[in-house]
Amino acid sequence: MEKFISFSLLWVLGGINLRKLALFILCIFLVGCTSKVYTDNFDKGKIELENGNYSEAIKFFEIAEQEKNTKEIDELISIAKILNDSLIAKKEGKFEASNYNAEKIIDYKIKEEVNKKIIESTKKQAREIVKQTDVESAQKEELEANISKGKVLLEQQKFDEAYTIFNALVTQEGDYPSYKLFKDLFVQATNLAKETVDKKEAYIVEQQNKAEEEKKKKAEEEKQRKIAEENAKKEAQKQAQNAKVSKEQAKQLVIQKLQLPNNPNLFVEYEYDNEHGDYVFHVYEVVIDDPKTKEGHTATWGWYGVDPKNKYVYDAFN
């Protein structure tokens, strides 16, 4: 610059007027300032890019670009934006989108040799982003799988097992470095743990009520069974009382009443029903007069009536 100014002064001495000289020096000054703004912001942008502060790097690069648009700055702006998009997607839990952008950088073909060192650094950062994203994605899948398992157990009314799963997720929240990514899942687990407790309590009350109702039902059924048995017994007794004995049963009543001996020549024969509907039996004995001829005569013991309803035995002619 000093040589250039000296040359300019010599030029003035050669006949250039002062007005043209002033304009020439101003142009040189402006070019120098613009170059410094570009260089300073370009360098700051690279530092931020290397440190992983992509949004800040973009700001510095864009300021430099406004001063001087170069292929080097265009390439680094593009790199910074892709990495920034990857990082934003990762923070939002959009793991596929994050990896998609990070892999763009990993596979990126360097265009400007001057950017090679800084771009190689960003490739390492992109690989680290993919590595972290894969870990967080696996953690998310594990959390979702456990919540699904707990829900199935809850539907099956296996309350203790379901609560163990949900409560474990809640208490393990701090074990996840990126737990903020899974905030919704931890909130869901917390709500499900409370829901499980409430449903278990409601289930216990419901079962107690059912047991009480079943107990009352059985007691009532037993009561009705006893009443039915008693009524059946009374009805049987009533029917037995109203039922008429058969002629054969009436005959046995006569034999019992008279205490008749077991004599083959002694007979109890039904004769007729009297005007009251009672059975009348003729009790007689066959007396053998001649053992050789077996001839003999009958000897009447009496005539006896039997009331078929009350089984009363009486002398039919007294």
Side-chain angles (χ1 to χ4, degrees):
M1 178 69 74
E2 291 177 355
K3 291 181 179 180
F4 190 78
I5 293 173
S6 298
F7 177 76
S8 300
L9 290 174
L10 291 173
W11 189 16
V12 171
L13 295 175
I16 301 300
N17 61 39
L18 293 177
R19 183 177 179 183
K20 289 182 178 181
L21 177 62
L23 290 173
F24 181 70
I25 293 173
L26 179 62
C27 288
I28 293 173
F29 177 78
L30 291 175
V31 169
C33 291
T34 301
S35 178
K36 189 174 187 309
V37 170
Y38 173 86
T39 303
D40 287 349
N41 285 282
F42 185 71
D43 291 341
K44 289 178 181 178
K46 287 195 294 184
I47 292 171
E48 296 297 339
L49 182 60
E50 194 167 11
N51 290 334
N53 301 322
Y54 308 123
S55 60
E56 291 299 314
I58 292 170
K59 291 179 183 178
F60 287 120
F61 288 147
E62 287 181 342
I63 293 172
E65 184 185 37
Q66 291 175 2
E67 296 298 326
K68 186 178 180 181
N69 190 354
T70 64
K71 292 181 180 180
E72 292 88 350
I73 200 71
D74 286 343
E75 185 174 44
L76 292 185
I77 287 176
S78 177
I79 294 290
K81 286 183 176 180
I82 292 172
L83 284 171
N84 193 50
D85 289 342
S86 177
L87 194 61
I88 290 173
K90 178 179 176 295
K91 290 179 179 179
E92 293 177 350
K94 299 175 181 178
F95 302 122
E96 290 185 5
S98 177
N99 280 352
Y100 175 77
N101 284 307
E103 286 167 0
K104 281 184 180 180
I105 302 303
I106 295 172
D107 300 333
Y108 184 79
K109 304 298 181 183
I110 300 172
K111 298 174 183 177
E112 302 300 323
E113 188 66 21
V114 70
N115 291 333
K116 182 176 180 179
K117 184 178 179 181
I118 186 66
I119 292 177
E120 289 297 339
S121 174
T122 61
K123 285 178 178 287
K124 291 181 181 179
Q125 295 175 35
R127 292 189 189 96
E128 185 61 27
I129 289 174
V130 170
K131 181 180 177 181
Q132 292 175 2
T133 300
D134 289 343
V135 170
E136 292 167 356
S137 179
Q139 290 175 341
K140 182 180 180 182
E141 289 178 1
E142 182 183 6
L143 288 170
E144 290 173 337
N146 283 327
I147 287 176
S148 296
K149 182 179 179 181
K151 284 182 176 180
V152 171
L153 291 170
L154 181 57
E155 290 175 0
Q156 295 173 346
Q157 296 183 328
K158 297 179 179 179
F159 303 109
D160 292 339
E161 295 177 46
Y163 179 79
T164 298
I165 290 176
F166 296 138
N167 189 56
L169 294 178
V170 173
T171 56
Q172 290 172 3
E173 179 176 335
D175 296 339
Y176 291 86
S178 303
Y179 73 91
K180 290 182 179 179
L181 287 174
F182 316 127
K183 182 178 179 180
D184 291 344
L185 292 175
F186 289 123
V187 169
Q188 186 178 1
T190 301
N191 292 336
L192 285 168
K194 183 178 183 301
E195 181 182 343
T196 302
V197 172
D198 293 341
K199 284 190 174 181
K200 180 182 179 180
E201 291 176 353
Y203 177 80
I204 291 173
V205 172
E206 180 184 1
Q207 293 305 305
Q208 289 174 341
N209 291 338
K210 283 184 177 180
E212 188 64 28
E213 289 297 323
E214 187 66 22
K215 183 178 178 181
K216 289 180 181 179
K217 181 181 177 181
K218 287 183 177 180
E220 183 62 24
E221 288 176 350
E222 181 64 17
K223 178 181 177 182
Q224 294 302 322
R225 186 187 66 79
K226 289 182 178 180
I227 291 173
E229 286 183 353
E230 187 65 27
N231 290 338
K233 183 178 179 181
K234 289 180 180 179
E235 183 63 23
Q237 291 174 345
K238 182 178 179 181
Q239 290 179 358
Q241 291 174 353
N242 295 332
K244 293 182 179 181
V245 297
S246 66
K247 292 174 182 178
E248 182 61 31
Q249 291 172 328
K251 177 181 175 179
Q252 294 300 320
L253 290 173
V254 172
I255 294 172
Q256 293 174 10
K257 177 69 175 179
L258 300 179
Q259 298 182 354
L260 297 177
N262 187 12
N263 185 345
N265 294 327
L266 189 60
F267 298 90
V268 178
E269 292 184 353
Y270 166 76
E271 293 293 335
Y272 59 88
D273 286 2
N274 64 18
E275 67 275 14
H276 302 297
D278 297 342
Y279 304 135
V280 177
F281 291 89
H282 179 204
V283 181
Y284 64 93
E285 182 182 1
V286 176
V287 180
I288 302 300
D289 295 325
D290 187 349
K292 291 181 180 181
T293 62
K294 303 296 183 181
E295 294 180 356
H297 66 278
T298 60
T300 296
W301 285 39
W303 297 81
Y304 296 93
V306 179
D307 187 330
K309 291 183 179 180
N310 59 26
K311 304 176 185 179
Y312 176 65
V313 181
Y314 58 92
D315 189 334
F317 294 112
N318 287 329

